[in-house]
Amino acid sequence: MTKKFRAHTLNEFIVQQQNAFPYAKGDLTRLLGHIAIASKIVNREVNMAGLVDILGETGKENIQGETVKKLDEFANEQFKTVLGSSIEVCGLATEEEEDVVSFESDLSRDGKYIVCMDPLDGSSNIDVNVSIGTVFSIYRRISEIGSPSVEEDFLQPGTEQVAAGYTLYGSSTMLVYTTGMGVTGFTLDPSIGEFFLSHRKISMPDPGTIYSINEGNYANFPPGVKQYIKYCQEIDPPTHRPYTSRYIGSLVADNHRNMLKGGIYIYPQTTSYPEGKLRLTYECNPIAFLAEQAGGMATDGMGNRILEIPPQSIHQRVPFFAGPTNMVNQAEKYMQINS
Ligand code: P6P
């Protein structure tokens, strides 16, 4: 009698993982469940964006001076509403909010966690139907339980993350996360609205064969990045070079592919972004945590581990190199030679 395979839902898997923590009381389990619910709501709108008047721009700009797309704003409101009504979260920092959002209800003030997130990253791809994503980081608060969250709660180094992940709204919708016990992926069955376990333990192939960078900025790249790009393009069959160039301008989609197939993602300093473009707290730290948990690494191209960079502000930008250890170390070598 063959054992009938029964797919694991996200909630079943999270509860199983929780049981590995004898002192866990289910708060983090419930919080991850809330993120999954908000992701499903955003997914529904993303899938219909072309049909309803939610494409296009709001005419507003966010703290970054970037045009806010209607879906960006919708996603931000959904996560604020769902997390603000949870009892686990006392505050939220997002790309769309200039300051941290401190949830004021008595229940929220007792929340043990804070969340840093980009509710919908890659918004320039929304109107052209290219994959976009939600990225999130979860920390224990350092301020006193029962009080409002404070900015210091959101300025912890990435090593303090208790969980991180993303939802990828692509050809299928996936939720990928880690709590420090490896990286696991779940795929949404839209017919019943459940995330099912599809990638039990994601491990980044190393060495990889893909490099992801916006080569349109080549003229403005640091010399070490230019040399690394040339290294990727050299013909050297024993090291599987030339590598394949893949870049779709969506952090979650580019890094999801690189984590599964083995590739490096680089967003270095450029003249437009002298500190780098990506934000440390809600883009680089979560992706760096996942990259390390999948067997890779993430640095700022100057020998600093992303997870150990102490944030100075919630929207701080840093240069970002993430991928298989061999590829990131090779890029770092060229950066060091030219530093
Ligand atoms: P560029 C999207 O705006 C984003 O933050 C990431 O998702 C993406 O990897 C990057 O910026 C793309 O930036 O300058 O190459 O268009």
Side-chain angles (χ1 to χ4, degrees), residues 66 95 118 121-124 214 217 247 249-252 254 265 267 273 277-279 283:
E66 293 166 348
E95 180 188 55
D118 188 348
D121 178 87
S123 48
S124 55
N214 183 344
N217 295 323
Y247 187 79
S250 184
L251 178 73
V252 174
D254 278 319
Y265 174 98
Y267 208 111
Y273 295 104
K277 177 181 184 185
L278 301 183
R279 278 53 60 108
E283 290 173 323

Short mmCIF file of all heavy atoms in Angstrom, two decimals, residues 66 95 118 121-124 214 217 247 249-252 254 265 267 273 277-279 283, ligand 1:
data_model
loop_
_atom_site.label_atom_id
_atom_site.label_comp_id
_atom_site.label_asym_id
_atom_site.label_seq_id
_atom_site.Cartn_x
_atom_site.Cartn_y
_atom_site.Cartn_z
N GLU A 66 10.48 58.43 -5.62
CA GLU A 66 10.04 57.55 -6.71
C GLU A 66 8.53 57.64 -6.88
O GLU A 66 7.80 57.73 -5.89
CB GLU A 66 10.45 56.09 -6.38
CG GLU A 66 11.97 55.90 -6.38
CD GLU A 66 12.39 54.57 -5.73
OE1 GLU A 66 11.52 53.92 -5.09
OE2 GLU A 66 13.56 54.20 -5.86
N GLU A 95 8.94 50.81 2.53
CA GLU A 95 9.48 51.72 1.53
C GLU A 95 8.55 52.90 1.30
O GLU A 95 8.96 54.00 0.99
CB GLU A 95 9.71 50.99 0.20
CG GLU A 95 10.27 51.92 -0.87
CD GLU A 95 10.34 51.32 -2.26
OE1 GLU A 95 9.30 50.86 -2.77
OE2 GLU A 95 11.45 51.31 -2.82
N ASP A 118 9.35 45.89 1.93
CA ASP A 118 8.98 46.59 0.72
C ASP A 118 7.72 45.90 0.23
O ASP A 118 7.79 44.78 -0.28
CB ASP A 118 10.11 46.49 -0.32
CG ASP A 118 9.82 47.38 -1.52
OD1 ASP A 118 8.67 47.86 -1.64
OD2 ASP A 118 10.73 47.58 -2.35
N ASP A 121 7.95 45.40 -4.47
CA ASP A 121 9.21 45.83 -5.05
C ASP A 121 9.22 45.52 -6.55
O ASP A 121 8.67 44.52 -6.98
CB ASP A 121 10.37 45.08 -4.37
CG ASP A 121 11.70 45.47 -4.99
OD1 ASP A 121 12.29 46.46 -4.55
OD2 ASP A 121 12.10 44.80 -5.96
N GLY A 122 9.85 46.42 -7.31
CA GLY A 122 9.94 46.20 -8.75
C GLY A 122 8.78 46.86 -9.48
O GLY A 122 8.37 46.45 -10.55
N SER A 123 8.25 47.94 -8.85
CA SER A 123 7.00 48.51 -9.37
C SER A 123 7.13 49.00 -10.81
O SER A 123 6.14 49.10 -11.51
CB SER A 123 6.51 49.64 -8.46
OG SER A 123 7.57 50.52 -8.20
N SER A 124 8.37 49.27 -11.26
CA SER A 124 8.51 49.72 -12.67
C SER A 124 8.08 48.61 -13.62
O SER A 124 7.83 48.83 -14.79
CB SER A 124 9.97 50.11 -12.94
OG SER A 124 10.81 49.02 -12.62
N ASN A 214 22.55 45.66 -13.96
CA ASN A 214 22.04 46.54 -15.02
C ASN A 214 23.24 47.10 -15.80
O ASN A 214 23.81 48.14 -15.41
CB ASN A 214 21.22 47.67 -14.42
CG ASN A 214 20.62 48.56 -15.51
OD1 ASN A 214 21.06 48.51 -16.67
ND2 ASN A 214 19.64 49.36 -15.15
N ASN A 217 24.34 50.73 -16.81
CA ASN A 217 25.10 51.66 -15.97
C ASN A 217 26.62 51.42 -16.06
O ASN A 217 27.39 51.97 -15.26
CB ASN A 217 24.67 51.49 -14.49
CG ASN A 217 23.23 51.87 -14.27
OD1 ASN A 217 22.73 52.82 -14.89
ND2 ASN A 217 22.53 51.13 -13.42
N TYR A 247 18.89 39.78 -16.14
CA TYR A 247 18.51 40.90 -15.27
C TYR A 247 17.16 41.44 -15.69
O TYR A 247 17.00 41.90 -16.82
CB TYR A 247 19.56 42.02 -15.37
CG TYR A 247 19.37 43.15 -14.38
CD1 TYR A 247 19.78 43.02 -13.05
CD2 TYR A 247 18.75 44.35 -14.77
CE1 TYR A 247 19.61 44.06 -12.15
CE2 TYR A 247 18.58 45.38 -13.85
CZ TYR A 247 19.01 45.24 -12.55
OH TYR A 247 18.82 46.26 -11.66
N GLY A 249 15.37 43.52 -13.53
CA GLY A 249 15.05 44.76 -12.82
C GLY A 249 14.00 44.58 -11.75
O GLY A 249 13.29 45.51 -11.38
N SER A 250 13.89 43.38 -11.23
CA SER A 250 12.97 43.11 -10.12
C SER A 250 13.75 42.29 -9.10
O SER A 250 14.07 41.11 -9.33
CB SER A 250 11.75 42.33 -10.62
OG SER A 250 10.83 42.14 -9.58
N LEU A 251 14.10 42.92 -7.97
CA LEU A 251 15.00 42.30 -6.98
C LEU A 251 14.57 40.90 -6.60
O LEU A 251 15.39 39.97 -6.59
CB LEU A 251 15.05 43.18 -5.73
CG LEU A 251 15.92 42.68 -4.58
CD1 LEU A 251 17.39 42.84 -4.91
CD2 LEU A 251 15.58 43.41 -3.29
N VAL A 252 13.26 40.74 -6.32
CA VAL A 252 12.78 39.43 -5.85
C VAL A 252 12.91 38.39 -6.95
O VAL A 252 13.44 37.29 -6.74
CB VAL A 252 11.32 39.53 -5.35
CG1 VAL A 252 10.77 38.16 -5.01
CG2 VAL A 252 11.24 40.45 -4.15
N ASP A 254 14.84 38.44 -9.70
CA ASP A 254 16.24 38.18 -10.05
C ASP A 254 16.91 37.30 -9.00
O ASP A 254 17.63 36.35 -9.32
CB ASP A 254 17.01 39.50 -10.21
CG ASP A 254 16.81 40.15 -11.59
OD1 ASP A 254 16.80 39.40 -12.61
OD2 ASP A 254 16.63 41.37 -11.65
N TYR A 265 23.82 38.56 -7.97
CA TYR A 265 23.09 39.80 -8.22
C TYR A 265 23.95 40.93 -7.67
O TYR A 265 24.43 40.88 -6.54
CB TYR A 265 21.74 39.79 -7.50
CG TYR A 265 20.99 41.11 -7.58
CD1 TYR A 265 19.98 41.30 -8.50
CD2 TYR A 265 21.31 42.17 -6.73
CE1 TYR A 265 19.30 42.51 -8.58
CE2 TYR A 265 20.64 43.39 -6.81
CZ TYR A 265 19.64 43.55 -7.74
OH TYR A 265 18.97 44.75 -7.82
N TYR A 267 24.09 45.22 -7.32
CA TYR A 267 23.69 46.61 -7.53
C TYR A 267 24.72 47.47 -6.81
O TYR A 267 24.59 47.73 -5.61
CB TYR A 267 22.27 46.94 -7.05
CG TYR A 267 21.71 48.09 -7.86
CD1 TYR A 267 20.68 47.91 -8.75
CD2 TYR A 267 22.29 49.36 -7.80
CE1 TYR A 267 20.22 48.95 -9.55
CE2 TYR A 267 21.85 50.41 -8.59
CZ TYR A 267 20.81 50.20 -9.47
OH TYR A 267 20.37 51.22 -10.27
N TYR A 273 23.35 56.57 -7.88
CA TYR A 273 23.18 56.06 -6.51
C TYR A 273 24.56 55.82 -5.91
O TYR A 273 25.05 54.69 -5.87
CB TYR A 273 22.38 54.76 -6.53
CG TYR A 273 20.95 54.93 -7.02
CD1 TYR A 273 20.58 54.54 -8.31
CD2 TYR A 273 19.98 55.49 -6.21
CE1 TYR A 273 19.28 54.70 -8.77
CE2 TYR A 273 18.67 55.66 -6.65
CZ TYR A 273 18.33 55.26 -7.94
OH TYR A 273 17.05 55.43 -8.38
N LYS A 277 21.67 51.57 -4.71
CA LYS A 277 20.24 51.91 -4.84
C LYS A 277 19.39 51.19 -3.80
O LYS A 277 18.40 51.72 -3.31
CB LYS A 277 19.73 51.56 -6.24
CG LYS A 277 18.24 51.82 -6.40
CD LYS A 277 17.72 51.45 -7.78
CE LYS A 277 16.25 51.83 -7.93
NZ LYS A 277 15.68 51.39 -9.21
N LEU A 278 19.77 49.98 -3.46
CA LEU A 278 18.89 49.15 -2.63
C LEU A 278 18.98 49.55 -1.16
O LEU A 278 20.03 49.95 -0.66
CB LEU A 278 19.24 47.67 -2.81
CG LEU A 278 19.13 47.16 -4.26
CD1 LEU A 278 19.43 45.68 -4.32
CD2 LEU A 278 17.76 47.45 -4.86
N ARG A 279 17.83 49.40 -0.46
CA ARG A 279 17.75 49.80 0.93
C ARG A 279 18.17 48.64 1.83
O ARG A 279 17.75 47.50 1.64
CB ARG A 279 16.31 50.24 1.26
CG ARG A 279 15.94 51.68 0.87
CD ARG A 279 16.20 52.06 -0.57
NE ARG A 279 15.48 51.25 -1.50
CZ ARG A 279 14.43 51.70 -2.21
NH1 ARG A 279 14.03 52.95 -2.07
NH2 ARG A 279 13.79 50.91 -3.04
N GLU A 283 15.33 45.59 1.90
CA GLU A 283 15.64 44.88 0.65
C GLU A 283 16.88 44.00 0.85
O GLU A 283 16.85 42.78 0.71
CB GLU A 283 15.86 45.87 -0.51
CG GLU A 283 14.57 46.55 -0.94
CD GLU A 283 14.79 47.66 -1.98
OE1 GLU A 283 15.79 48.37 -1.88
OE2 GLU A 283 13.93 47.79 -2.86
P1 P6P B 1 17.46 49.63 -12.07
C1 P6P B 1 13.19 48.09 -8.30
O1 P6P B 1 12.93 49.48 -8.32
C2 P6P B 1 14.50 47.87 -7.58
O2 P6P B 1 14.44 48.40 -6.30
C3 P6P B 1 14.81 46.38 -7.55
O3 P6P B 1 13.66 45.60 -7.52
C4 P6P B 1 15.58 46.16 -8.83
O4 P6P B 1 16.50 45.09 -8.72
C5 P6P B 1 16.30 47.49 -9.04
O5 P6P B 1 15.55 48.48 -8.33
C6 P6P B 1 16.33 47.86 -10.51
O6 P6P B 1 17.00 49.09 -10.62
O7 P6P B 1 18.23 50.90 -11.76
O8 P6P B 1 18.36 48.56 -12.66
O9 P6P B 1 16.19 49.81 -12.85
#
